[in-house]
């Protein structure tokens, strides 16, 4: 009879825990900040069509908060990378060529500030790779476009935390 409580306790310890948030003074934060990210583009040439930019973020297991979104701010480039305005955005678990479950997301574009804020409608659990696809349509002029990337925790008053810098290389067709 004593075996049943210990088996039950062991099975509860092995069950995956839902993403919880770390709140300090009413603000949500990560314990382990994501540090691995990249920007992928399979259309490299200036003014080339069907361009989709993929921001791939590896969300660490020990984050102790769900991922609520990402923020990009362009810090280099001859013009805003999204100079044609807001574009369709799709978020999912996985990588560009290994797409998994879709994450409902909404995006705000600020052409003047050269920034994009993507909010997920549900938290992404730590330990996943998340991709946000921006269907830009047409590439901007040739240049090196650089962005700072921040991860935003899911919860009240989130504190965005800088992941690093990602870059988009757009080449001349000549």
């Amino acid at each position: 009879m004593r075996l049943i409580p210990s088996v039950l306790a062991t099975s509860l310890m092995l069950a995956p825990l839902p993403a919880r948030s770390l709140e300090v003074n009413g603000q949500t934060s990560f314990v382990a900040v994501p540090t691995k990210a990249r920007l992928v583009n399979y259309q490299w040439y200036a003014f080339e069509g069907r361009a989709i930019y993929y921001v791939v973020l590896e969300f660490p297991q020990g984050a102790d908060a769900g991922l609520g979104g990402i923020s990009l701010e362009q810090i280099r480039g001859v013009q805003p990378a999204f100079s044609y305005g807001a574009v369709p955005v799709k978020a999912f678990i996985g990588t560009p060529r290994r797409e998994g479950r879709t994450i409902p997301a909404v995006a705000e574009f600020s052409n003047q500030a050269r920034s994009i804020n993507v909010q997920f409608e549900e938290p992404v659990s730590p330990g996943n790779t998340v991709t946000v696809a921006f269907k830009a349509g047409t590439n901007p002029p040739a240049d090196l476009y650089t962005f700072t990337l921040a991860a935003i925790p899911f919860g009240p008053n989130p504190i965005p935390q800088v992941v690093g810098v990602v870059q988009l290389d757009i080449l001349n067709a000549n």
Side-chain angles (χ1 to χ4, degrees):
M1 287 294 204
R2 297 182 85 189
L3 183 60
I4 293 173
S6 64
V7 169
L8 181 60
T10 302
S11 66
L12 288 175
M13 289 181 358
L14 296 177
L17 297 173
R20 62 187 197 278
S21 62
L22 175 68
E23 289 186 43
V24 178
N25 295 328
Q27 292 188 295
T28 308
S29 181
F30 295 118
V31 171
V33 180
T35 58
K36 294 183 180 179
R38 64 186 189 279
L39 198 151
V40 179
N41 178 22
Y42 298 110
Q43 309 295 335
W44 301 288
Y45 297 110
F47 307 109
E48 187 172 6
R50 298 177 317 190
I52 301 174
Y53 311 141
Y54 300 94
V55 175
V56 182
L57 176 69
E58 292 181 31
F59 189 42
Q61 188 67 30
D64 276 359
L67 181 63
I70 65 167
S71 177
L72 287 168
E73 186 174 335
Q74 184 175 339
I75 56 175
R76 184 183 191 286
V78 69
Q79 74 178 35
F82 297 96
S83 61
Y84 302 113
V87 299
V89 174
K90 179 181 180 181
F92 55 89
I93 302 295
T95 58
R97 302 242 167 126
R98 294 185 185 262
E99 188 174 323
R101 178 180 64 86
T102 299
I103 304 164
V106 293
E108 277 184 37
F109 289 79
S110 172
N111 202 24
Q112 187 173 358
R114 294 185 175 201
S115 66
I116 306 157
N117 190 23
V118 179
Q119 293 294 317
F120 303 144
E121 294 178 9
E122 59 188 48
V124 175
S125 298
N128 285 297
T129 298
V130 179
T131 298
V132 178
F134 298 93
K135 294 183 180 183
T138 304
N139 278 338
D143 202 1
L144 181 66
Y145 295 85
T146 308
F147 302 85
T148 59
L149 173 65
I152 304 167
F154 193 90
N157 299 318
I159 301 171
Q161 294 172 301
V162 175
V163 174
V165 175
V166 293
Q167 69 183 32
L168 174 67
D169 297 341
I170 303 296
L171 309 172
N172 277 321
N174 301 340

